Amino acid sequence: MDQESLSKLKTALHFVWNSGDYETVARTLEPGAAAFFDRLAVGPGDRILDVACGTGQIALPAARAGAKVTGLDLSENNIEKANALVHAGGLEVKLDAGDVEDMPYKDETFDLTVSLIGAMFAPRPERAAAEMLRVTRPGGRLVMGNWADGGFIASFFAALAKYAPMPDIPSPLLWGDEATVRDRFAKGVASLALSRHPYRIEYGTPVPETVEHYFNDFGPSMVAVADLDPDDREDLREDLEALFTRHNIGTAEAVVIEAELLDVVAVRA
C-alpha cells in the first residue's frame, strides 16, 4: 500500500472509530471484559499499556489494582470519555490519542502490553504486532483478547459485509485464527500461549432495540449503514435480528450473547 492510500485509509478508520458512543457499547461488554481482566493477573506497580483502550475497560480496573497504567486509543472521543471516568474514580491513568501502528513510547517501556478487541482492527497487523512487542520489555507479556474466528462476532461482521463492503485490509478476525496468530508471532517471542474463552455480552434490551443500538452507537455498523438505501437497511436489520435471536441465551426482554475470545499471551524474548 502506497503512502497516499495508507493516509486515506487511516483517515477513514479514524472517522469510523470516532463515530458513535463506544462508552454505551462498552457497558454491554463489561461481563466478558471483567473475566478477561481477571486472567491478566495484574499486580501493584506493574507498568501496563492498554492498546486501543476504548473508554477504559482494562485501564481503569488495572489502575484500581495499583498498576501504573497508560492507555492509547485512535479515537479522541474515547480518550475524552475515559478521562472523565478516570477522574470520577479518583484514579491515575495516562491517556493518549494515538495509533497502535506508530506508538509514541520508547522501546521496552512496559511490563504488560494488553489489547482487548482493539488492536485486532489495525489495518497492518504485522506492524501492530511489531509495535506492541517493541514497547514491551524482554520477559514482559503482550496479551491480546481477540474475537475468535467462526463465532457470533464473525457472523455479525459477515452480515454487515453483505450490504456494505469492508475496507480492503486483512480481516480483523484473522487475529482469532490460531495458525495466523502463530505466524504473526513467529519471531521476537520466547513463548506463545493461545486459549479460547467464552465472552458474555449483556444488552438488557429486546432483540429489536439491541440491533438499533448497533445502528446508533457502534462506529463500524453506523458507518456501514449510513449510505444504505431504505430496503437494504431494512434487510440488514432483519438479518441482524435473526442472528441475535438465534444466539440469545437470555430472555426475550434482555438479550445475552455468549461470544468467544481467543486469548493470546506472548512473552517477549
Side-chain angles (χ1 to χ4, degrees):
M1 183 182 302
D2 61 49
Q3 191 58 44
E4 182 179 358
S5 298
L6 179 62
S7 179
K8 289 180 179 179
L9 174 61
K10 294 280 188 178
T11 298
L13 291 173
H14 179 266
F15 175 77
V16 167
W17 292 110
N18 227 24
S19 300
D21 182 4
Y22 193 76
E23 186 177 359
T24 300
V25 176
R27 285 197 290 269
T28 71
L29 298 169
E30 284 177 357
F36 175 78
F37 177 77
D38 287 344
R39 295 195 294 273
L40 293 176
V42 170
D46 287 347
R47 298 171 301 165
I48 295 177
L49 173 63
D50 183 6
V51 178
C53 63
T55 53
Q57 282 185 302
I58 300 302
L60 270 67
R64 294 188 196 105
K68 184 177 181 180
V69 184
T70 301
L72 178 83
D73 200 90
L74 189 64
S75 164
E76 294 89 353
N77 287 344
N78 287 347
I79 292 297
E80 182 179 350
K81 291 176 180 178
N83 262 317
L85 294 171
V86 166
H87 294 151
L91 302 171
E92 291 188 13
V93 178
K94 182 179 184 295
L95 292 164
D96 300 314
D99 186 346
V100 62
E101 294 183 358
D102 187 19
M103 293 193 286
Y105 309 118
K106 294 180 179 179
D107 295 356
E108 304 178 7
T109 298
F110 302 100
D111 302 307
L112 168 62
T113 300
V114 61
S115 187
L116 174 60
I117 54 174
M120 64 178 293
F121 291 96
R124 296 180 294 173
E126 288 79 7
R127 171 80 180 194
E131 272 290 272
M132 289 188 288
L133 282 174
R134 178 184 67 78
V135 301
T136 306
R137 67 165 174 82
R141 292 178 296 153
L142 164 55
V143 181
M144 301 178 72
N146 302 324
W147 293 128
D149 60 331
F152 169 80
I153 299 298
S155 297
F156 174 84
F157 280 107
L160 289 182
K162 179 180 174 183
Y163 297 92
M166 297 291 107
D168 186 19
I169 60 175
S171 169
L173 294 170
L174 286 171
W175 273 116
D177 174 72
E178 296 183 22
T180 300
V181 173
R182 292 188 186 282
D183 284 345
R184 289 174 178 173
F185 288 116
K187 297 180 180 179
V189 302
S191 65
L192 180 66
L194 308 178
S195 57
R196 291 178 179 252
H197 303 270
Y199 192 108
R200 188 176 177 90
I201 311 172
E202 296 180 354
Y203 296 97
T205 52
V207 165
E209 285 84 350
T210 300
V211 172
E212 191 66 22
H213 152 72
Y214 278 98
F215 279 17
N216 294 334
D217 298 322
F218 184 52
S221 47
M222 287 176 62
V223 172
V225 305
D227 294 327
L228 295 182
D229 63 45
D231 288 342
D232 281 350
R233 187 182 178 97
E234 187 57 31
D235 287 345
L236 173 59
R237 184 188 303 277
E238 291 178 2
D239 287 355
L240 289 177
E241 288 185 4
L243 176 67
F244 277 93
T245 298
R246 287 197 304 272
H247 288 268
N248 181 22
I249 62 171
T251 67
E253 296 304 313
V255 171
V256 176
I257 298 293
E258 189 170 273
E260 187 178 29
L261 203 69
L262 178 67
D263 279 16
V264 178
V265 181
V267 176
R268 183 177 167 182

